[in-house]
Amino acid sequence: AIQMTQSPSSLSASVGDRVTITCRASQGIRNDLGWYQQKPGKAPKVLIYAASSLLSGVPSRFSGSGSGTDFTLTISSLQPEDSATYYCQQDSNYPHTFGGGTKVEIK
Amino acid sequence: QLQLQESGPGLERPSETLSLTCTVSGASISSKNFYWGWIRQPPGKGLEWIGSIYYSGTTYYNPSLQSRVTISVDTSKNQFSLRLTSVTVADTAVYYCVRRMAVTGTKLYYFDYWGQGTLVTVSS
């Protein structure tokens, strides 16, 4: 199975900060990567698919980039409502696998 | 608006069989370009994909669970189901049913709709 490694596992940042989360795949996955946001007690919600395509309705401060094995999720200006855990997920091969998650807290 | 709703027992005894059903409303489970599946999350931990099914009945399972898992679809009821045998405490988790959608004109997919999740506890 393809291993997805996210870093950092947690971070604390201030409102307005630029936040970057990285995700590395154990083998190349082209651009078959999604980013999901999960708030406590809720189901995850997709933010980005195909590594860099923003879902309709997702704020433009979220962006994704990367291809192959290295990917990033960037929040350009952190907002209080962005406090959540973020997961990357590869859809290139079965079994579909998720990164371990990055918990984003607001200072 | 598409909705997915999980249903089933919230408590299972070790060695028993976990059975959950996902009822889909607002869309046909027989639509092409969609897969239907299950993802679970142990308390305080990350997400694990369990498996997916196409309306035709083609299934894909996580090898780590393949010997114990069955996913089936009932198009007449617009439902799909999960069956996990010989459960242990390690199977305690929130179980989500999900739809996996194809990006139009591509072979790129993502999980676009999730149920609210149902906690299944395995305990004697």
Side-chain angles (χ1 to χ4, degrees), chain A residues 9 24-27 39 41 55-56 62 78 83-85 92 97 102:
Chain A
S9 56
R24 174 165 288 177
S26 61
Q27 65 187 70
K39 296 186 177 181
L55 263 290
S56 175
F62 290 93
L78 190 67
S83 178
T85 300
S92 175
T97 46
T102 297

Side-chain angles (χ1 to χ4, degrees), chain A residues 31-34 36 38 41-46 48-50 55 87 89 91 94-100, chain B residues 35 39 41 45-49 52 60-63 96 100 103 107-112 114-117:
Chain A
N31 65 334
D32 290 351
L33 184 108
Y36 296 80
Q38 185 178 32
K42 300 293 187 182
K45 165 191 162 185
V46 61
I48 288 169
Y49 66 93
L55 263 290
Y87 295 92
Q89 177 254 326
D91 208 275
Y94 288 107
H96 304 310
T97 46
F98 291 85
Chain B
Y35 288 80
I39 290 170
Q41 185 172 37
K45 296 188 178 179
L47 299 162
E48 180 181 32
W49 176 77
S52 294
Y60 303 85
Y61 298 134
N62 193 322
Y96 296 100
R100 179 171 170 253
V103 179
K107 293 185 178 180
L108 297 167
Y109 290 83
Y110 59 95
F111 297 111
D112 64 336
W114 298 60
Q116 65 184 20

